[in-house]
Amino acid sequence: MKLLFVFSVLVIWLQSVYAEETVSGTEQRPLRVVIPFLGDAPGQGPEHPLVDVRRQWGKTSGRAMTIERFPFKRSLMMAASGEADFHFPLIKDQDASDQGLPFAYSSTVVHTVNFVLYTRRGEDIDLSQPEKYRIATHGGHGNLLPFPVMEDHTIEGSLRKLDTGRIDAFIFADSGGDPVLLDLGLMNIERRLYKVYDVHAVLSHDKKGGEVDEFITEATKTMSRELLGLAGVDQPYHDWQVGDDSIPALVNAGK
């Protein structure tokens, strides 16, 4: 009888441990999120506001999350390999797919971003003939453009090259380029909308459609659009130029 009692207690204990492991090992385990450096650098000033958007996901969902930051390519590959649960953000052309790519886009669009064409004042760039021009974008974004471009390492460097005539155009997100342009005060550069892109999280192909992908979808539904606005994304394009009185307050705040 004593042996039977011990055996029963052992069975109940094992069932309890298994139940706890099932919850914490899948739905309740902390998510490892990786975010690249986005115009900021380690130890240099405050974090990019999009990091706060991810923190909000954890707070509103109650899901534990660890957020780490790495150089862009490393962050992306950590998600692609499954070393991290997901990388954020990655811009996606609406006509593109993740077939043949080493990673998968999240099922839902998290937000949108405006890409701007920066040129010198008075110089008309005909993008139907891009081969005639020296066009640059920020590193890691060349695949978004349907023509060959140079990839630069800094937004400031690209805008200075444009101002001095070393390149003819620079194409990048307004949330990244506009505050730098305003801070530099380059009056010889003008801007206009190039294209509005979708922005996704990135995960490994075997996580697409799974519980991590579902978490991203649900978190996107409930996240604060105001917080996105403070990050300078998911906003309508504003057509302004350096020297105007109509420069959006968010651009001034971000410089």
Side-chain angles (χ1 to χ4, degrees):
M1 178 66 71
K2 183 176 181 181
L3 182 62
L4 180 61
F5 174 79
V6 171
F7 177 77
S8 299
V9 170
L10 180 61
V11 169
I12 294 171
W13 178 78
L14 287 173
Q15 287 175 335
S16 174
V17 169
Y18 175 77
E20 289 177 3
E21 288 181 347
T22 300
V23 173
S24 62
T26 56
E27 294 183 351
Q28 297 303 313
R29 67 175 179 80
L31 291 177
R32 187 182 187 189
V33 182
V34 287
I35 298 178
F37 298 109
L38 300 159
D40 55 348
Q44 294 185 8
E47 292 178 328
H48 193 278
L50 283 178
V51 179
D52 284 334
V53 175
R54 301 288 73 73
R55 290 195 181 105
Q56 188 215 24
W57 282 14
K59 291 176 182 177
T60 57
S61 68
R63 183 71 175 266
M65 298 170 61
T66 62
I67 300 175
E68 301 169 83
R69 304 193 72 191
F70 297 95
F72 185 89
K73 289 184 178 179
R74 181 181 175 188
S75 177
L76 190 63
M77 289 303 102
M78 287 175 70
S81 67
E83 183 180 352
D85 285 297
F86 67 88
H87 156 110
F88 182 84
L90 189 66
I91 298 166
K92 176 181 177 292
D93 193 313
Q94 295 176 354
D95 299 326
S97 73
D98 49 27
Q99 291 186 348
L101 295 176
F103 55 79
Y105 295 108
S106 60
S107 296
T108 192
V109 176
V110 179
H111 61 77
T112 60
V113 64
N114 307 314
F115 262 48
V116 169
L117 172 66
Y118 299 93
T119 58
R120 284 185 298 280
R121 286 187 185 269
E123 295 190 11
D124 186 26
I125 300 294
D126 181 6
L127 290 181
S128 67
Q129 296 179 297
E131 69 280 357
K132 294 172 57 178
Y133 309 102
R134 297 161 298 174
I135 303 174
T137 189
H138 194 46
H141 296 84
N143 63 306
L144 291 172
L145 304 173
F147 41 76
V149 294
M150 298 175 283
E151 293 195 18
D152 272 346
H153 298 295
T154 69
I155 300 168
E156 178 179 344
S158 296
L159 291 172
R160 289 192 182 279
K161 287 178 185 178
L162 177 59
D163 186 55
T164 58
R166 294 169 60 192
I167 59 175
D168 300 306
F170 176 60
I171 300 175
F172 193 52
D174 58 357
S175 56
D178 286 353
V180 178
L181 175 64
L182 191 61
D183 190 46
L184 294 174
L186 299 176
M187 301 292 294
N188 194 39
I189 293 179
E190 61 184 9
R191 55 189 294 286
R192 71 173 188 264
L193 181 65
Y194 171 73
K195 189 174 183 178
V196 178
Y197 286 100
D198 291 338
V199 178
H200 291 250
V202 168
L203 56 166
S204 61
H205 281 286
D206 61 354
K207 287 187 171 73
K208 180 71 173 280
E211 65 103 4
V212 173
D213 197 16
E214 290 175 0
F215 168 82
I216 295 167
T217 298
E218 291 305 311
T220 299
K221 290 179 183 177
T222 58
M223 71 179 173
S224 167
R225 312 314 289 191
E226 181 181 359
L227 194 57
L228 281 178
L230 293 174
V233 297
D234 216 39
Q235 301 294 303
Y237 171 73
H238 293 282
D239 191 23
W240 60 270
Q241 306 300 333
V242 178
D244 287 355
D245 295 329
S246 59
I247 298 173
L250 280 173
V251 178
N252 275 305
K255 70 175 183 176

